[in-house]
Amino acid sequence: MSSAIKETTEEPDLVGMIASEITRARDETRPTSRQQLADILHARTGMSVADAYQFVDTYCEEHEPGVPGYLQEEFAVPYLKVLGVANAVIALGLCYYGVKLYYVGKPYWIPVCIGVLFLGLGALSWVKSIEREYSRSKKKA
């Protein structure tokens, strides 16, 4: 009475999954990105993140070129860099003003200290933007 039960190990329909998620996003009028699709594919199939992103990227290049790579991170990284440069410019202006005060003989240390703080905030913003770029590139690989 032993019956052999064959286990069917079919690979899930990856293209269908991606297409249905894109269709669902359009029906719900919500934005979607290739990164989100890769995360969904990774969660449902157990495929590595790099392989899932590569598969989604290839599919979107051929069938859905309008789907962007990222939604939030595209805008967050340049924003931090612009903030870092703006803080550095403010810091240089304050330090220059402090030097002018020094030559006149007035207390110069207050604008110089504030300038150093702004320079530190600018450096921190720049480093955080580089860290985000690095983590994003590492996530792809």
Side-chain angles (χ1 to χ4, degrees):
M1 283 215 159
S2 65
S3 64
I5 300 174
K6 294 183 181 178
E7 293 184 27
T8 58
T9 57
E10 297 177 5
E11 291 186 22
D13 183 24
L14 302 178
V15 173
M17 243 190 272
I18 295 170
S20 68
E21 284 298 323
I22 292 172
T23 305
R24 185 179 306 145
R26 286 187 181 145
D27 291 344
E28 295 173 0
T29 62
R30 67 175 164 82
T32 188
S33 68
R34 295 177 186 194
Q35 183 63 45
Q36 288 176 340
L37 294 171
D39 289 340
I40 290 169
L41 200 62
H42 166 71
R44 289 186 184 170
T45 64
M47 182 186 292
S48 73
V49 176
D51 291 340
Y53 187 82
Q54 181 66 31
F55 185 80
V56 169
D57 194 39
T58 304
Y59 173 80
C60 288
E61 286 298 321
E62 293 175 6
H63 303 287
E64 297 286 342
V67 176
Y70 295 93
L71 293 177
Q72 179 184 11
E73 292 177 4
E74 283 182 344
F75 303 106
V77 173
Y79 172 73
L80 285 173
K81 286 186 178 178
V82 168
L83 186 64
V85 170
N87 279 338
V89 169
I90 291 170
L92 290 175
L94 284 169
C95 289
Y96 178 75
Y97 180 66
V99 169
K100 288 288 204 179
L101 287 178
Y102 174 75
Y103 286 133
V104 177
K106 294 186 178 180
Y108 62 92
W109 59 272
I110 294 173
V112 171
C113 289
I114 294 172
V116 168
L117 287 174
F118 270 100
L119 188 63
L121 288 174
L124 179 66
S125 298
W126 190 269
V127 167
K128 287 295 181 183
S129 72
I130 291 172
E131 284 178 354
R132 281 192 181 180
E133 286 178 356
Y134 178 73
S135 68
R136 185 173 59 193
S137 68
K138 194 172 185 177
K139 197 176 201 181
K140 281 185 182 180

